[in-house]
Amino acid sequence: MENLTLSIAEARAIALRSQGLAEEAAPFGAGREAALEAIRHLGYVQMDTISVIQRAHHHVLWSRIPDYDPEMLDALQSTEASVFEYWNHASSYLPTRDYRFSLPLMRKHRKEMHWSEESPELRKAMRRLMARIRSEGALAISDVEATTMVRQWSNDLSGKIERRAFHELWIRGDVMIRSRRGVQKVFDLPERVLPAATELKPPSKREAADFHLRRGLRALGIARMQELHYLRDGGHATEVRQALAGLIKKGEVIEARVEGFPAMPVFLLREALALATPLTASRIRFLSPFDNLTIQRKRMAWLFGFDYTVEIYVPAAKRKYGYFVLPVLWGDRVIGRFDAKAHRKERRLSVINLVFEPGFAELGGIEAGFKEALDEFARFQGCDHWEILRVEPAGWLLSSR
């Protein structure tokens, strides 16, 4: 299929349908099985601890599963063990059926300490924890008394050296997170967590590259080369490039261009061409900053013309839009963004700053859909009411409900 050129509408349709964010109301079905199917299809769901609104991993699944409840994810991890927590490009929920593809990273970290200084104290703490878990069973940090206080990774706060030790054991694969007590991790031995049928044979480099490439294309739909090795643990661009050439040669993957970007090659699975019919529905969705669609900011720029930065690490006085800003998706267009905070005790959701994209001229056509989407979003936050405190352009929908 030489010289294939897709319109931007076709490229967006492929991407959004592949992400489960197109017209279909429940692309993965309903209930806990749908949550598992979504994680398997997407390949991962990134975790985040920020709680001004519902946490990112729950937000991602709620955006795709209408009846989603956070208890579903807890059950998938702690009851079924069909998902597990490990490092992707960040801490993520991953399908347990793909566990063996995390083994190379675990093996790498057994050879080098992760985010920490090599120290006899840390090694001793790791040995103590492993001995206790083997003899006593699963442990959380609250079950362990501090022997030494140390500076934590990215700040000057002190914490138990055992917290660092748990992290090292986890990133090496010596322990797994069995469950959570609230936000606190409960660690246990992999053999006591993984289902008996879990495949434990490490993949070859080529097998791993093929797996990650197919996983990326299945979830992204259409992607540039750099977007396909973005989620790997560094140094894998050559392997992905070789795997891509092999899949193109087999006819499994197609190289194409997108109108407006004649010099930019993009890639897609051959079967993804069936998803290219431009979208006609115009549903409003509020996406997490860590959604699988939004996490690659340069991809958002070329595919949706949306310049997006998360400002949580920017000093308040220098923020342009707000602390935790959510992109607003309308059909196949990203039309704006807003900063939000859930006041849970008052059961009130505040939209602190709502800003539409320059040139967006269809405000009158989205008011009803926007209010309906805010109603649903507020309920997901455990809120009965919402308010919009500031909007640009001024005067549009500056109200509450």
Side-chain angles (χ1 to χ4, degrees), residues 282 284 328 330 335 356 360 362-371 396:
S282 296
I284 294 279
V328 179
W330 184 46
I335 61 171
F356 288 97
F360 180 66
E362 297 162 79
L363 290 169
I366 68 166
E367 185 169 340
F370 199 95
K371 287 182 176 179
W396 184 86

Side-chain angles (χ1 to χ4, degrees), residues 280-323:
T280 56
S282 296
R283 178 178 175 180
I284 294 279
R285 298 177 189 266
F286 308 135
L287 300 178
S288 168
F290 304 108
D291 193 279
N292 298 55
L293 180 73
T294 64
I295 191 62
Q296 296 199 52
R297 313 306 186 199
K298 292 181 180 179
R299 175 177 169 81
M300 291 295 290
W302 79 259
L303 187 54
F304 293 98
F306 188 64
D307 182 13
Y308 181 47
T309 302
V310 176
E311 298 180 285
I312 52 178
Y313 304 114
V314 176
K318 295 183 178 181
R319 290 177 192 142
K320 185 176 180 180
Y321 297 108
Y323 175 72

Side-chain angles (χ1 to χ4, degrees), residues 117-366:
E117 304 84 1
E118 185 82 27
S119 71
E121 292 79 11
L122 184 59
R123 293 287 187 183
K124 288 177 184 177
M126 292 165 66
R127 288 195 292 271
R128 285 196 302 271
L129 290 177
M130 285 299 293
R132 284 194 60 180
I133 290 173
R134 288 191 184 102
S135 63
E136 301 174 28
L139 288 176
I141 189 64
S142 60
D143 299 322
V144 180
E145 292 186 8
T147 56
T148 305
M149 302 298 285
V150 296
R151 186 176 64 83
Q152 296 302 304
W153 296 275
S154 59
N155 53 51
D156 295 326
L157 299 177
S158 294
K160 298 177 182 179
I161 195 172
E162 286 78 8
R163 185 181 301 278
R164 294 269 289 273
F166 269 134
H167 178 84
E168 296 299 337
L169 292 169
W170 170 75
I171 201 72
R172 289 155 48 117
D174 293 334
V175 299
M176 291 185 68
I177 299 168
R178 169 179 283 281
S179 60
R180 283 183 174 255
R181 299 176 193 163
V183 297
Q184 193 173 128
K185 303 167 185 174
V186 180
F187 297 91
D188 205 346
L189 301 178
E191 55 265 33
R192 297 202 292 235
V193 176
L194 292 170
T198 305
E199 175 62 61
L200 298 176
K201 180 183 177 182
S204 66
K205 287 186 177 181
R206 180 55 183 270
E207 187 180 10
D210 282 355
F211 166 79
H212 286 287
L213 181 59
R214 290 190 177 101
R215 186 186 82 161
L217 285 172
R218 181 186 69 234
L220 295 175
I222 185 169
R224 301 177 299 166
M225 166 63 74
Q226 55 266 49
E227 293 160 5
L228 292 170
H229 60 80
Y230 166 79
L231 300 176
R232 302 295 306 283
D233 180 55
H236 294 282
T238 299
E239 294 166 18
V240 171
R241 191 176 294 109
Q242 291 172 347
L244 184 60
L247 294 181
I248 291 173
K249 187 175 181 180
K250 290 179 182 178
E252 188 174 339
V253 172
I254 297 170
E255 180 178 338
R257 297 291 188 277
V258 177
E259 288 180 359
F261 305 93
M264 183 183 77
V266 294
F267 304 93
L268 62 158
L269 294 170
R270 181 175 293 274
E271 62 201 48
L273 287 174
L275 308 177
T277 304
L279 304 189
T280 56
S282 296
R283 178 178 175 180
I284 294 279
R285 298 177 189 266
F286 308 135
L287 300 178
S288 168
F290 304 108
D291 193 279
N292 298 55
L293 180 73
T294 64
I295 191 62
Q296 296 199 52
R297 313 306 186 199
K298 292 181 180 179
R299 175 177 169 81
M300 291 295 290
W302 79 259
L303 187 54
F304 293 98
F306 188 64
D307 182 13
Y308 181 47
T309 302
V310 176
E311 298 180 285
I312 52 178
Y313 304 114
V314 176
K318 295 183 178 181
R319 290 177 192 142
K320 185 176 180 180
Y321 297 108
Y323 175 72
F324 201 67
V325 173
L326 313 181
V328 179
L329 180 69
W330 184 46
D332 69 350
R333 298 160 62 188
V334 182
I335 61 171
R337 66 197 86 199
F338 67 80
D339 185 23
K341 180 178 176 60
H343 304 276
R344 295 181 177 90
K345 289 184 179 179
E346 303 167 30
R347 301 188 66 82
R348 172 174 53 88
L349 174 71
S350 290
V351 175
I352 301 163
N353 185 30
L354 167 62
V355 180
F356 288 97
E357 287 294 275
F360 180 66
E362 297 162 79
L363 290 169
I366 68 166

Side-chain angles (χ1 to χ4, degrees), residues 85-148:
E85 292 182 43
Y86 194 60
W87 196 260
N88 198 50
H89 64 292
S91 291
S92 302
Y93 285 101
L94 301 163
T96 304
R97 71 178 187 183
D98 298 338
Y99 177 81
R100 74 188 189 98
F101 291 99
S102 293
L103 292 174
L105 184 56
M106 295 174 185
R107 181 171 53 201
K108 176 176 182 274
H109 285 297
R110 287 194 186 99
K111 298 178 181 178
E112 58 185 56
M113 302 301 281
H114 184 252
W115 288 355
S116 63
E117 304 84 1
E118 185 82 27
S119 71
E121 292 79 11
L122 184 59
R123 293 287 187 183
K124 288 177 184 177
M126 292 165 66
R127 288 195 292 271
R128 285 196 302 271
L129 290 177
M130 285 299 293
R132 284 194 60 180
I133 290 173
R134 288 191 184 102
S135 63
E136 301 174 28
L139 288 176
I141 189 64
S142 60
D143 299 322
V144 180
E145 292 186 8
T147 56
T148 305

